[in-house]
Structures are given as C-alpha cells and as structure tokens.
Amino acid sequence: MGGLPPRPSTPPDALTPEGRSSALADLLRQATQASLDPEAVLEVAVRWCARVLGDGAAMWMQEPGDEALVLGPYAHRDVARESVTPVLPEALTAHVLEREVTAADGPAIVAPLRSRGRVLGVLACARDDAKRGYRREDAELVGEVAARVALVLDNARLYERVRIQATTLAHVDAAVLSMDGENRLRSMNPAAERLFGWREEEVLGRAVVDVVSAESSDNVQRARAALRDAGRWTAPWRLKRRGGEEFDGHIDAVVVRDDHGGIDGFVAVYHDMTERLELIATLERRAAQQAAVAALGERALEAEHPAALMDRAVETARSVLDVELAGVFELADEGRVLALRAGAGFARSQVGSATVPGGWADGQEGFTLIRREPVIVGDARRERRFVQAELVAALGAVSGVTVVVQGRGGVHAVLAAYARREDAFSRDDVTFLQSMANVLGDALDRFASDEEIRRRGLHDPLTELPNRTLLLERLAEAAERDAGPIALLFCDLDHFKTVNDSLGHRAGDDVLRQVADRLRAAVRPGDVVGRFGGDEFVVLCEHVDDEAGARLIAERLAAAFARPFRAGGDDHMLGVSIGIALTDSAEDGDALLRDADTAMYRAKEAGRSRIELFDTGMRAWAVGRLQTEAGLRRALDAGEIEVHYQPIVSTAGGAGGGAPGAVAAVEAVEALVRWRHPERGLLAPGEFVGVAEESGLIVGLGRRVLELACTAAAAWEPRIPVHVNLSPRQLLDKTLVETVEATLAATGLPSELLALEITESMLIDRGPDRLVVLDRLRGLGVKLVLDDFGTGWSSLSRLAELPIGGLKIDRSFVADLDGRGGPIVDAIVRLARAFSLPVVGEGVETPEQLAALRRLGCELAQGFLFSRPVPEPELLSLLRRSAVADHA
C-alpha cells in the first residue's frame, strides 16, 4: 500500500474457491454480528482482509458532500506494524472513484464501498513485497468484500440513526405499558392514557392485545414467541384507540425477568407512527416528484415536440399528485383568454378548443397569469380573490394550484392541477408543479424560436392556412410543373366586420376558424386554401379547364356559407363574395391575385354574395375605384363635401296637395351628402359612398355631414329638425356618442332638433353594446328614426324594446300602395300609432300616393312630389314659402 511497512513473514497460502467462500461467509457473519456498530463493521472488514489476503488493509471514508477521503480503521497481519499509518494509493483510488470499479496495480487493490447508488469510501489492500502482486481472483474477492461490507455498513448506520431516534422518542412523551407474564395489564403511564383513550383503572388486569392491538391473532402469537426467545422485540404494529379507531404505531417490548432468570412480565413502549409515516409518505412523494421532473427534462432534451411534451406533463402531474384534472393553458387572443392546449381529465373535445378568461378576477388561471406567481386555492367555494372558471367548475374541481410557465421572452402558459377534494395541495406540490413548468418553459423557448419563424413566414397563425408568401410559392411551383390551367378564387366575407366589431375579436376569430374549416372541406383534394389576413381567403386550384369548372368550385365554396356560423352564443349568417381569375400559367402570381381581387370587389359592388369572373374591363374599373378612394380622401380635407336637403312635409289639410306650385308645410329636412368633384362635377352618393364604406372613410365622411348639417340647421328660421343618416360603420365607432355631443355643443343646435336615421339592417347583430350606444344617443336628447322600415329583420313585437322615436316607410311599399304595399303600409301606420311614433312615407312621387297615405293616416311624407334634394339656399327659400303658406 505504498506506505505500509514491509513485513518479514511469508504471505498467506492461496485460498481455494471453497476456502474463499468459507472465508467470505465468515466475514459476513462477523460483520453481521457487529452490524449495530458501524465502526465495528469496518474494523472487522480490514482485519479479515489483512488476515486472508495480506498484508495490510485500510478504509478511507467519504463524507456526504465532501470529496476528501478520511482514513478509517486499518490493520496488518503483523500487529506490531499497525503503528505505521497507511498511505492512500492516490492514482489508483482516483481511477476507482471515477469509474466505480475495483482496480489492481501490482501489490495493491482498491475497491469502492458502494451502496444504494452512492460511494461511501474505498477499501485498499496492499502487500509489503512489491514483487508479490495480487491475482485477478484476489481483486474480485476484494470487490465482493467491499460491496458486502458497504451494504452492512450502510444498514448499520441507518440502524444507529433509528436506534438513537427511538431512544430519544422513548423518553419524550412515550406511551409505556407494563404487563405480567400472561400479558395482562399491570400499569400504563399518562402518555398511554392520552394515546389510547383509556384510564388505567379501567383496563388493569385485561389482556393488553384486547385493549390496544388491532393486529391479527397470528401476528400476536408470532410476536410473543419472538419476544420470549430474544428477550426483546420491536416492530411496526397496528394499534387502536378506545373508540375503535385504528392507527399505525410501533412497539418496543422487553422481557422483565425475576431473580432466577424466569419471565416475570413485559414492558412495552408504544409510539403513534401516523406523523412519521406521513413524513415517509411525503418523502416518497417528493422523490417521485423529483423523478417525474427528471424524466420530463430528459424528454425535453430529446427534443420531443412541445405538444407531446405538454401532454406528458399534464398526465404526469395528474398521476404524481393523484388528482382528477391537470392542464396547460396557453395565452391566446392577445392574452385576453387562456386556451386549454393540453389536458388530463378534461373531455377530448375541450382540449384545443376550450378557453378560460385571462382577466384578473375571472379565474385562478388569469389571476396567476397577472400575478406571475403560484396560486393555491383550498376551496373554490370560499375563494374571494376571483371567481372559478366555468370550464373548471363544471368538472367538479374544488381545490387547485396554478403556476406560470415562464420563458426567457415572457410567459408561455399556465400549468394547473385541480382536485375534487378540499385542500388537496401542499407547498411541496407547488414546488413540483413549478419545476414541471420550468422544464416546459425551457423546452418551449427552444422550440418557439424556430417554429415561430417558420410559422410566421409561411402560415396564418389563426387558421393555420398558408399565407400570401406560401400561396405565391405554390403558384410558382405550379408554373414549374406546368400544371396547366389555373384558377385563383379570391373570397371576402360579407358582413364579417359587423360580427367582429359587435361581438369582439374572440368571436370573430372563432368565425374565421370555422370559415377556414369549411373552405378546406369544400375544395378538391390538392387545392390550396390560404388566408391573407382579415376576412380574405384565397383558393388555388390547378387543372381547371374552363370558366364552368371554376364557377363550379366557387359555387361549392359559396354553399359552405349556407349554414349559420356559431359565435358569441348565437347563430350568424354570413355571405361570401368571390372573384375568379383564370390563367394558362402561374408565372405572374401577383398579377393573378390582383385580377382575382378585382373580380371580388366587382362582386361586392354588384350586391355581395355573388361570383364574378375577371375580364379586362374590370381592370379599368379597379383603377377607377382606387382613384375614387384617393379623391375622396382629398375631398374630406379640401372642402369638396356638400350637403343637400330634402323636405319632410305634413300630409294634413291642403298644404301642398300635389298641385303644381303648391307648397306643403315643411316639418323637417333630411341631409343628403354630395361630392363637388373638381373634374366630374356634382356626384351623387351612389358614386362614392360604397367606396367610402369599403375603405373605412365613411366614418370621417359621416362626421363631416353631421357638422355641416348641424351648423346649417342652427341658423335656420324657422328652426326645424334635421335628419342625418348613420352608416353601419359609424354605429360601430366607439367615439360616435362623443362626436354627436361635441358637434351639438360646437354648433349650438338644440339636441331635440337633430334626428339620426338608422336602418333595420344595421340592427341585424344587435349586441348589448349597440343597444347601449342607441340609449346613450337618446340620452343626449337626439331623436332616433328607423329608416326603410319593413324591409329588414325586425319583428313587430320587438319594436317597443328599441329606443326609437319614429319610423320611415320604405319607398318600395309607397310605390305599390295600390297593390300589396297598401296593407303593409296600413299595418305599419297602425303599429306606429299604437306606440305613439310618427311615420314618414318615403318616395312619394304622385298626388295619388299622397292621397293614399292620407287615407291610411300617415301624417308625414317625403319625395320628389314635394322637392328633390336641394342646396341650402334653395331650401331656405322653400322654408320661407312654406312658412307663408302655413300662415295663410
């Protein structure tokens, strides 16, 4: 062993295999006998090695957390030489510790003392004569000795700790019972009375097993025999209290002998092991949690797909925590909601589609997201910080723990576990779940960068459809393959903005996903459906021979919109306008897209929900539309917008009456927009309002008309109400009420002299927000008039629910008063009278129509019979003549 002194004695005889086995058995017997004392175990081992293998043997021990080796017991065949301290063969030992194998080098052998997966130290043997090397069989024997001794040593250390703890616990509030030789109770201490619930005098003389034991009679008999034979017996034991409640305990019993060595009785110390077993269970649970985290980390390092990793995480969390539900909620809809991306215990249909609110007070998940720290709920029924998410509450969850899945760039998701019992989670469980979340966060970070770049570059994130870049690539690939005739179908949803603005982006996104699914289902295999953003979808179809084939595909796409879309808890009907462009090659993808887009806009101009095929004339139309939009933007700033006015007159008496030159009594006027184009002259609304609606300029245009009309009406004498039309887009403008209020204040027009006209179609998707806007407008004192009444969706029974102050009968009914329009007008007038609403008949062009309206009781009328829309100076002249006629 390097430092061991040489000895003159001869080496031991080589052992036969049988001799080695016998010697090894002798060692184990000695070590077992000394197993209550760890140091004695080591001493036995080194003396055995010195005697059997020669010449010297020593132990170097390693303390937990310390890499240094400390010399332990050592021995030499020559006792006189044991005064020399042995030297550790460092190179050989370093090799053994690194590889955890037994190694021999000439006259030295070093073996690791390894037990339960850890190295406790090393056993080294050395011969004094360097020329007398060890054989392989010697090294194997030393290795086996080291392994066996390490296990006995480990057990001895463990037993020593347990013995020390047991001794300590025996003197700290331990229950002690004394029995006679027949196991009848002699005495019990106060701690025993507290533990078992009996008073000593109640149980004296009774068999102890009947009072405190819950074990079977067979176990009792075996324990008695072992105690009588050994004089002492200790073991776990199932105990019971006075009321019959059973619990886990431990018994340590000894024999009490008389002066002659006979058995006089027994003394037993009982311990309630409930807390200790709970602690053991906690440690085991903690170990299982650590192992689960490590296993998930290994999967993450193996680059498992994030979706699979999340599935594994929630299944592991549910299993290890022994709860009913676990889920990963990812941020969605710009953080407004959290979507269930992986779930264990949830319905399969919920995973990937269900969401919970992302707000502070709307659920534990959103609260966790905002707090950025773990949140524990012991009982959701008593929770005051937030309400429980409906998704979780519906599955019976009572308690829960949620942690943030944090990445380097921010929060990825919330990891949650739920139980149907109260207070199901401990702080250890929070630590475990957070560790799982940390693994997920790191893995998602690694995947997110490359995945996000790829998805963002080629796919629409909402619908997972190819985006413009990928679609153009597919067009180019088709050209390279010479795929033959190609059809490109440009689809734009009709009335989607109404759904999106009235129900919110979450509902709009849901509709877009439904649209994407239906389009995918409607196309042929091999066709490519893409989304360009907003409500625009494009379908690329190869091998389309002619216009008829392209129209057939377009009709299938349109048919996908025949069924309503579910959003916001209601069904909504949407249409689609489709433009088709055909080409023999896809060499210029941008041009083909532009042509299909132009055809789509032509379909919208022609009335929406139509299919249009591109022709060369459309290109000029598209250029003209762009010029109109650009000119309208300029016109709003250049003062080219004008307002003309058409009177609303009384049908009562003889005023006007339709006779040439007659003047009717003017009760109000309607403001109608005109564009004084510098080159094209005065343009009617039909030439530019549609462009304003599509481009979003209608809000600014409507605001300008309101300002001009209110400014003019404030100066009129006599003062009469002015009607101003609102477009659907204006009604969705969040600043509409403030704009009206500010305009009235700036112009000085009393609010009762302003009437705002809205159409029935504008209320098709009447959400609470839209009705709130109408109520707020009416709260300003402004009158609201329902235009084109009878042509929209309204049921008469709902008329009273709307904040409406008047009706205008659509001109189509007035034009057909002699036919089917007469009964309809009669019904509308009667209805309005029932609700005390004034009624205006629109589009009156003949004295006969006026006379019919009078007979039906319609008190107001408007139309070319009285006046066309005129500029303000002509209106003022008409008002003066009306006032004179009314005076006369």
Side-chain angles (χ1 to χ4, degrees):
M1 194 180 296
L4 290 175
R7 67 177 183 82
S9 59
T10 59
D13 296 334
L15 294 174
T16 64
E18 293 77 9
R20 287 175 180 268
S21 298
S22 176
L24 184 58
D26 179 57
L27 167 64
L28 294 178
R29 183 172 57 256
Q30 295 180 50
T32 301
Q33 292 173 350
S35 62
L36 297 182
D37 184 353
E39 291 298 323
V41 171
L42 299 180
E43 185 75 26
V44 166
V46 296
R47 293 204 173 278
W48 185 92
C49 288
R51 177 174 56 82
V52 173
L53 295 171
D55 291 312
M59 296 280 189
W60 277 270
M61 308 309 297
Q62 189 173 38
E63 295 298 325
D66 189 356
E67 296 183 357
L69 292 172
V70 178
L71 178 64
Y74 57 92
H76 198 279
R77 292 183 66 242
D78 185 354
V79 177
R81 295 179 179 272
E82 289 184 353
S83 60
V84 179
T85 302
V87 177
L88 182 71
E90 294 184 358
L92 191 59
T93 300
H95 175 78
V96 169
L97 290 176
E98 179 181 354
R99 303 293 180 86
E100 295 189 14
V101 296
T102 301
D105 183 12
I109 301 173
V110 179
L113 297 171
R114 182 173 58 245
S115 175
R116 296 182 176 92
R118 66 187 190 282
V119 175
L120 309 179
V122 295
L123 166 62
C125 297
R127 287 181 172 165
D128 297 340
D129 186 356
K131 295 180 180 179
R132 296 179 55 252
Y134 283 108
R135 298 172 303 168
R136 184 185 65 183
E137 292 85 348
D138 298 330
E140 292 174 352
L141 182 59
V142 171
E144 187 171 358
V145 168
R148 300 289 182 89
V149 168
L151 183 59
V152 175
L153 172 65
D154 208 14
N155 289 337
R157 286 179 172 178
L158 179 60
Y159 176 79
E160 183 179 45
R161 289 195 297 271
V162 173
R163 181 169 54 81
I164 292 173
Q165 292 173 358
T167 302
T168 303
L169 289 174
H171 294 83
V172 179
D173 198 24
V176 181
L177 276 70
S178 173
M179 296 148 278
D180 62 18
E182 299 300 324
N183 293 103
R184 290 186 296 269
L185 187 67
R186 284 175 172 170
S187 66
M188 64 190 319
N189 68 349
E193 292 182 334
R194 292 193 297 271
L195 178 62
F196 296 110
W198 295 98
R199 293 194 306 274
E200 185 181 53
E201 60 268 21
E202 295 177 309
V203 291
L204 290 178
R206 293 180 59 180
V208 172
V209 293
D210 295 336
V211 176
V212 301
S213 177
E215 289 284 352
S216 67
S217 58
D218 289 343
N219 286 346
V220 171
Q221 293 301 325
R222 282 193 290 270
R224 285 176 177 174
L227 175 60
R228 290 177 179 273
D229 291 342
R232 182 171 185 173
W233 180 79
T234 180
W237 202 252
R238 190 70 177 166
L239 302 173
K240 65 181 178 182
R241 306 187 200 279
R242 180 172 186 167
E245 175 192 354
E246 296 184 5
F247 62 98
D248 289 314
H250 186 275
I251 183 172
D252 189 352
V254 296
V255 173
V256 178
R257 299 188 181 277
D258 57 23
D259 294 340
H260 304 288
I263 297 178
D264 181 56
F266 309 93
V267 173
V269 179
Y270 296 89
H271 298 279
D272 184 349
M273 300 296 292
T274 303
E275 292 185 2
R276 180 176 296 183
L277 293 177
E278 288 177 353
L279 175 60
I280 293 173
T282 298
L283 295 176
E284 291 176 348
R285 179 168 173 151
R286 188 177 298 170
Q289 291 174 351
Q290 293 172 350
V293 172
L296 188 68
E298 291 178 3
R299 290 290 185 178
L301 292 175
E302 293 171 1
E304 187 167 285
H305 192 275
L309 197 64
M310 286 190 286
D311 288 339
R312 187 179 299 276
V314 296
E315 289 290 351
T316 300
R318 183 173 69 158
S319 174
V320 172
L321 296 177
D322 189 24
V323 295
E324 289 79 12
L325 301 170
V328 174
F329 295 89
E330 278 190 338
L331 275 71
D333 194 14
E334 300 179 353
R336 285 187 285 269
V337 299
L338 291 161
L340 181 64
R341 296 305 183 203
F346 293 89
R348 182 175 298 178
S349 60
Q350 293 175 317
V351 178
S353 61
T355 61
V356 297
W360 176 274
D362 297 329
Q364 181 178 353
E365 303 75 21
F367 187 82
T368 305
L369 177 65
I370 295 171
R371 288 285 298 272
R372 297 292 198 273
E373 61 184 30
V375 176
I376 298 179
V377 171
D379 187 347
R381 295 163 295 193
R382 298 194 300 268
E383 183 58 54
R384 295 292 180 267
R385 295 170 293 178
F386 41 77
V387 298
Q388 190 178 31
E390 183 179 348
L391 172 67
V392 178
L395 294 172
V398 173
S399 60
V401 57
T402 45
V403 298
V404 174
V405 180
Q406 179 81 35
R408 291 186 298 272
V411 174
H412 289 298
V414 171
L415 177 61
Y418 310 96
R420 296 194 177 105
R421 61 187 185 277
E422 298 178 17
D423 300 318
F425 300 98
S426 66
R427 285 292 171 186
D428 282 346
D429 297 336
V430 176
T431 301
F432 161 66
L433 206 64
Q434 186 63 69
S435 299
M436 299 282 285
N438 294 342
V439 173
L440 280 179
D442 291 341
L444 290 173
D445 273 345
R446 287 196 300 272
F447 281 100
S449 180
D450 293 341
E451 184 68 12
E452 180 63 19
I453 292 173
R454 187 180 72 85
R455 299 299 303 171
R456 186 180 297 171
L458 297 176
H459 287 80
D460 166 52
L462 176 65
T463 63
E464 298 297 321
L465 294 175
N467 61 10
R468 183 188 186 96
T469 300
L470 183 54
L471 196 87
L472 287 174
E473 287 182 8
R474 297 289 173 82
L475 274 170
E477 292 171 1
E480 292 177 1
R481 293 195 308 270
D482 192 19
I486 292 173
L488 203 63
L489 290 78
F490 206 110
C491 308
D492 190 269
L493 308 186
D494 297 329
H495 308 299
F496 173 72
K497 294 186 183 299
T498 303
V499 174
N500 204 32
D501 293 339
S502 61
L503 298 181
H505 290 287
R506 180 168 59 186
D509 288 348
D510 190 32
V511 168
L512 290 174
R513 283 189 286 265
Q514 294 178 56
V515 169
D517 292 339
R518 293 191 190 183
L519 292 180
R520 274 190 288 247
V523 299
R524 309 170 305 172
D527 293 344
V528 180
V529 181
R531 179 182 177 229
F532 283 9
D535 57 353
E536 295 180 339
F537 294 83
V538 176
V539 181
L540 168 63
C541 306
E542 300 179 17
H543 307 293
V544 180
D545 296 329
D546 51 24
E547 175 184 338
R551 284 190 177 275
L552 184 62
I553 297 172
E555 288 169 0
R556 285 206 303 269
L557 297 178
F561 290 79
R563 294 180 289 109
F565 292 87
R566 191 74 176 171
D570 291 319
D571 290 336
H572 302 270
M573 294 301 301
L574 296 178
V576 61
S577 298
I578 303 176
I580 305 173
L582 291 168
T583 182
D584 290 334
S585 66
E587 294 180 357
D588 191 350
D590 285 321
L592 193 62
L593 278 174
R594 186 171 56 249
D595 291 345
D597 187 29
T598 299
M600 181 274 296
Y601 271 107
R602 191 59 173 268
K604 282 190 173 294
E605 290 284 335
R608 301 177 184 270
S609 296
R610 294 173 56 89
I611 299 170
E612 291 287 344
L613 183 69
F614 178 82
D615 58 40
T616 53
M618 288 186 182
R619 191 168 287 119
W621 171 85
V623 171
R625 184 184 178 283
L626 291 175
Q627 291 174 344
T628 298
E629 181 180 338
L632 189 57
R633 291 182 186 277
R634 182 198 69 249
L636 289 172
D637 296 328
E640 298 173 6
I641 301 302
E642 298 180 4
V643 175
H644 287 199
Y645 302 90
Q646 187 174 34
I648 299 172
V649 304
S650 172
T651 63
V663 178
V666 178
E667 301 293 337
V669 297
E670 181 178 359
L672 299 166
V673 66
R674 297 292 186 269
W675 178 7
R676 183 71 66 179
H677 197 281
E679 299 173 357
R680 299 165 59 190
L682 190 65
L683 301 181
E687 299 186 65
F688 61 90
V689 168
V691 174
E693 285 278 4
E694 291 289 342
S695 63
L697 293 173
I698 193 66
V699 174
L701 181 63
R703 188 180 297 121
R704 181 60 177 157
V705 171
L706 180 66
E707 293 171 355
L708 292 172
C710 290
T711 301
W716 292 341
E717 287 296 342
R719 287 193 167 188
I720 60 173
V722 60
H723 289 222
V724 178
N725 291 286
L726 287 182
S727 74
R729 187 70 67 86
Q730 283 179 276
L731 196 57
L732 295 173
D733 180 16
K734 297 184 182 299
T735 64
L736 174 62
V737 178
E738 289 73 14
T739 297
V740 172
E741 185 176 20
T743 302
L744 291 173
T747 61
L749 180 69
S751 59
E752 63 269 17
L753 294 182
L754 175 62
L756 298 176
E757 295 189 7
I758 59 176
T759 64
E760 285 188 277
S761 60
M762 292 166 65
L763 300 177
I764 288 176
D765 287 303
R766 60 191 188 286
D769 292 343
R770 189 164 299 186
L771 293 179
V772 167
V773 170
L774 295 180
D775 283 330
R776 291 180 62 197
L777 288 171
R778 188 172 64 172
L780 297 177
V782 172
K783 183 179 180 181
L784 299 175
V785 176
L786 196 57
D787 195 11
D788 299 335
F789 187 74
T791 62
W793 60 276
S794 296
S795 65
L796 302 183
S797 63
R798 294 207 48 132
L799 188 60
E801 301 177 16
L802 301 174
I804 300 301
L807 303 176
K808 296 184 78 173
I809 302 172
D810 187 70
R811 64 183 63 248
S812 63
F813 301 130
V814 174
D816 192 26
L817 280 171
D818 293 335
R820 299 177 60 185
I824 295 176
V825 173
D826 182 39
I828 293 174
V829 171
R830 291 176 184 273
L831 177 70
R833 189 176 297 128
F835 289 112
S836 301
L837 297 176
V839 183
V840 180
E842 289 189 293
V844 179
E845 298 183 357
T846 67
E848 291 76 16
Q849 292 172 346
L850 176 59
L853 288 176
R854 280 176 177 161
R855 288 194 306 271
L856 294 173
C858 180
E859 64 262 31
L860 298 172
Q862 179 182 357
F864 289 172
L865 177 64
F866 312 106
S867 173
R868 291 179 176 274
V870 295
E872 185 184 9
E874 294 184 35
L875 174 68
L876 294 177
S877 175
L878 190 152
L879 291 179
R880 285 192 293 271
R881 287 187 282 120
S882 171
V884 171
D886 193 42
H887 244 311

